[in-house]
Amino acid sequence: MAGWNKLTVDSAVIHSLPGGPLLSSSSSSSSGRRRRATIEKLPDKVLMHIFSYLTHREICRMARVCRKWRLIAYDTRLWKSVSLRPEISGLHVGSLEALLALISIRFGPSLRYIELPIELITHTVLHELSNKCPNLTHMLLDFSTAMQLHDFSEMQAFPAKLKYMVICLSEVIFMEGFMRKIYNFINGLEILHLIGTYEKVEEEEEEIYEVINVHKLKSATPNLRVINLYGINFIDDSHIDAFSSNCIQLECLAVNFCNKVTGSTLKTLFQRSRRLKCLLMHQTSLISEHVMAVEWEKVSLQELDISATDVSTECLIDLLTRIPNLRFLSAGQLNSFNDTVLKAWMEGGNPRNLIALDLDSSDNLTDDALYKFLSRHGQQLSGLVLSGMPHITDQLWMSVMPILNNAKILVMGTPERLGVNIHVDQLMDGIANNLPRLERLELRWDPQNLRFSDKSQKAIDILRVKCLKLRCLVLNDGRYYEIVKANFERADRNTVVRTSTSSRVSNYYLLGNYKDLVFN
């Protein structure tokens, strides 16, 4: 509006001068040129930068606008990272011929990362990727829905510069015929994900197939730094032992939701893998005696997840008082984690280097013990999860908020209906005034327990203005969620506020190998 007023005043002045009509005509012509300036007048490199913010599905739609936009949309620099799985990206390639054309024309040397669904994984496609995409370093092969594999007997080439590979396993299809063909090409791998079908497993006991031969695979991948074996029903301690026998560079091992892992080879693992800093064993079948047999005093371990296991109180005390340099601990859903464990850790262990603590649903911890621990170590924490405990209310959080001034991640509250109310305006105000570094926040309280006033907008405003690094705020769907969401959207921060049905906050963002561990 200010610009419009200036233009009006300038035109009036010009008309009052001698020779006004001529000058007015010139001004009118200049205004016309300004009005005719459109996005098509932008340089190609600027358009390219704008297009880089779009998804590939959106880029394909933009290609239909005009010839110039089509040329921009199909520039190989916009196709460095491509997912061809429709459920992930919305992109669907109708035929192998179409994909082969894309590899030659649109992907080429620019391609760094590709995701392929089962119907597009053929020896011809892999051969073309090997020949036409020499800089391909990241690949995901999704066999999870396979009922049979293509014939790979004639496959003679495979991308040889891969550093990162994800294989989504089928429940029933044996992979060895395919794997034998690629063993000679994958010895440069540094990051390997083998993804199982944990979420599809039914309660009924079914026959378990070892659909990929880990003992042979480990011999072909001696340079692995990160191994993620997620939700694979046949993985057990012998497979951990196999990898540790050949992967001396190993820094991170994740076996989350591998129910057959008991920890019987952990001692050998740490003796062989001296560089191992991260061990994630969420919901495994750990046996306390196996865990206590490890020489924890000698390990380099810094990050540990033993959530939802059955380790004993004695095992937890032994573990936490012996590990010398623990920085990340996830020990939620453990009935054995009680005040005694926390006290022993403070008195006999070394929690001074801790930056991330997850004690979700640890009902046997009292708020008094937690307050004592946080009073001493809260200032060093970047991430804290104290959710799922009905007795931990906003009162404890308000009392420790000034101590948690370095926190980047906080998760609080329980979806269980409580007998007390949570005064969320006061809580938001405390967060805003004490946590300037906060990036991710989740409030899991049931909407019926949240109490807020007509002045809630002010508290939300303060949070939004003071926590400028906040990129994710998760709430349970309800009236308060709608108020907070509308407030952030009015300030053009549309992606910050999310509902718990589609997003969850975790301390995993603080893992040293977090980016390497992410998979679709």
Side-chain angles (χ1 to χ4, degrees):
M1 183 62 74
W4 182 87
N5 287 336
K6 184 177 186 301
L7 179 60
T8 304
V9 171
D10 288 348
S11 297
V13 171
I14 289 169
H15 274 282
S16 68
L17 293 174
L22 180 60
L23 292 172
S24 176
S25 175
S26 174
S27 175
S28 176
S29 175
S30 175
S31 298
R33 284 196 298 271
R34 283 197 293 270
R35 283 196 298 271
R36 287 195 297 273
T38 66
I39 192 171
E40 292 184 4
K41 304 295 182 182
L42 292 175
D44 287 358
K45 63 179 182 180
V46 176
L47 275 175
M48 178 80 70
H49 186 70
I50 294 171
F51 274 43
S52 70
Y53 288 94
L54 304 177
T55 66
H56 285 138
R57 190 176 182 181
E58 292 167 335
I59 289 174
C60 290
R61 285 201 291 264
M62 294 302 103
R64 301 174 184 175
V65 173
C66 63
R67 183 176 298 176
K68 181 176 181 178
W69 283 26
R70 184 181 180 84
L71 290 173
I72 297 292
Y74 290 165
D75 191 297
T76 59
R77 288 172 291 181
L78 291 176
W79 297 84
K80 293 180 180 179
S81 178
V82 180
S83 173
L84 298 178
R85 294 192 293 165
E87 70 276 14
I88 300 297
S89 64
L91 291 182
H92 176 71
V93 177
S95 67
L96 290 174
E97 291 74 17
L99 176 56
L100 295 175
L102 287 173
I103 293 172
S104 297
I105 299 169
R106 197 177 308 175
F107 300 164
S110 295
L111 188 67
R112 301 289 191 277
Y113 176 96
I114 191 167
E115 297 181 1
L116 295 174
I118 175 61
E119 62 271 16
L120 299 180
I121 305 174
T122 69
H123 75 274
T124 307
V125 169
L126 295 172
H127 186 274
E128 283 296 287
L129 287 172
S130 174
N131 287 339
K132 303 291 177 59
C133 305
N135 297 309
L136 182 61
T137 57
H138 292 61
M139 175 181 281
L140 183 149
L141 302 175
D142 188 354
F143 294 98
S144 61
T145 58
M147 297 309 294
Q148 67 178 31
L149 295 185
H150 292 280
D151 181 10
F152 293 99
S153 59
E154 297 182 11
M155 188 168 74
Q156 302 298 327
F158 189 81
K161 292 186 178 180
L162 291 181
K163 299 295 183 185
Y164 169 107
M165 185 165 71
V166 180
I167 299 179
C168 300
L169 303 176
S170 166
E171 291 182 281
V172 294
I173 299 299
F174 294 91
M175 302 286 299
E176 193 52 33
F178 169 75
M179 297 303 295
R180 275 199 305 268
K181 290 292 185 177
I182 71 171
Y183 283 147
N184 291 333
F185 301 95
I186 60 174
N187 58 7
L189 276 184
E190 296 180 7
I191 301 161
L192 174 66
H193 295 257
L194 297 181
I195 309 304
T197 53
Y198 170 80
E199 295 179 355
K200 298 180 182 178
V201 173
E202 299 179 359
E203 292 184 5
E204 298 180 6
E205 286 290 332
E206 297 182 358
E207 187 174 356
I208 295 175
Y209 301 102
E210 191 164 334
V211 297
I212 194 167
N213 191 325
V214 171
H215 295 276
K216 290 184 179 179
L217 175 61
K218 59 98 176 181
S219 299
T221 54
N223 296 306
L224 289 177
R225 292 187 300 104
V226 178
I227 300 174
N228 179 22
L229 311 174
Y230 181 91
I232 305 175
N233 53 13
F234 66 81
I235 289 291
D236 59 25
D237 299 277
S238 70
H239 300 105
I240 295 177
D241 185 64
F243 274 121
S244 68
S245 68
N246 197 53
C247 304
I248 61 173
Q249 310 292 334
L250 191 60
E251 298 174 3
C252 175
L253 174 65
V255 290
N256 291 342
F257 303 101
C258 294
N259 294 326
K260 286 193 170 185
V261 172
T262 66
S264 62
T265 59
L266 283 180
K267 182 176 181 179
T268 306
L269 170 69
F270 282 104
Q271 288 174 342
R272 292 170 174 169
S273 305
R274 296 293 184 180
R275 299 184 180 185
L276 189 64
K277 294 181 180 179
C278 177
L279 180 62
L280 308 179
M281 311 185 78
H282 186 104
Q283 201 164 319
T284 53
S285 301
L286 289 180
I287 295 175
S288 296
E289 288 76 13
H290 296 333
V291 176
M292 295 169 69
V294 178
E295 298 175 294
W296 294 111
E297 301 90 345
K298 300 179 181 180
V299 303
S300 301
L301 191 70
Q302 296 182 4
E303 301 167 343
L304 176 65
D305 186 350
I306 51 173
S307 294
T309 59
D310 289 325
V311 294
S312 65
T313 296
E314 181 187 8
C315 176
L316 286 170
I317 293 174
D318 178 77
L319 180 78
L320 294 176
T321 54
R322 291 167 62 201
I323 297 180
N325 189 28
L326 198 61
R327 290 170 53 81
F328 178 107
L329 176 65
S330 184
Q333 303 172 55
L334 294 178
N335 291 328
S336 53
F337 205 118
N338 53 31
D339 291 2
T340 306
V341 175
L342 210 56
K343 182 179 179 181
W345 191 17
M346 282 193 291
E347 294 178 353
N350 181 28
R352 290 185 296 276
N353 296 313
L354 193 72
I355 64 165
L357 179 63
D358 182 344
L359 297 174
D360 175 64
S361 302
S362 297
D363 292 332
N364 291 324
L365 283 168
T366 65
D367 52 356
D368 183 57
L370 287 168
Y371 179 78
K372 290 178 180 177
F373 183 86
L374 294 175
S375 295
R376 186 180 300 182
H377 299 290
Q379 192 169 27
Q380 70 201 45
L381 293 180
S382 294
L384 178 62
V385 178
L386 296 180
S387 52
M389 293 182 271
H391 60 287
I392 305 300
T393 64
D394 52 332
Q395 293 182 354
L396 175 66
W397 283 105
M398 289 302 299
S399 63
V400 300
M401 205 75 73
I403 305 168
L404 302 173
N405 57 331
N406 288 308
K408 296 179 180 179
I409 299 171
L410 289 182
V411 182
M412 57 186 75
T414 175
E416 299 176 41
R417 192 70 61 87
L418 303 178
V420 297
N421 293 326
I422 305 299
H423 299 281
V424 70
D425 289 350
Q426 182 182 3
L427 188 63
M428 288 292 200
D429 191 64
I431 293 171
N433 288 307
N434 291 288
L435 306 174
R437 296 178 175 84
L438 194 64
E439 297 177 7
R440 300 177 186 274
L441 172 66
E442 182 173 355
L443 306 183
R444 295 183 182 172
W445 282 294
D446 185 288
Q448 296 299 320
N449 287 118
L450 298 182
R451 288 295 175 266
F452 50 93
S453 67
D454 295 336
K455 298 180 180 179
S456 285
Q457 291 286 357
K458 183 178 180 181
I460 301 168
D461 284 338
I462 295 173
L463 177 75
R464 177 172 47 75
V465 171
K466 290 195 173 184
C467 295
L468 294 175
K469 295 183 178 181
L470 188 65
R471 66 181 73 171
C472 180
L473 170 54
V474 179
L475 299 161
N476 276 316
D477 202 357
R479 187 182 165 206
Y480 188 70
Y481 163 79
E482 295 297 337
I483 293 173
V484 177
K485 188 172 187 290
N487 184 294
F488 274 78
E489 287 181 345
R490 282 196 298 271
D492 289 330
R493 295 177 68 182
N494 298 334
T495 63
V496 174
V497 183
R498 310 171 193 178
T499 178
S500 57
T501 57
S502 59
S503 182
R504 296 298 291 269
V505 170
S506 163
N507 274 349
Y508 267 32
Y509 301 105
L510 298 172
L511 288 172
N513 294 98
Y514 171 71
K515 291 183 179 179
D516 295 333
L517 288 166
V518 173
F519 65 92
N520 282 328

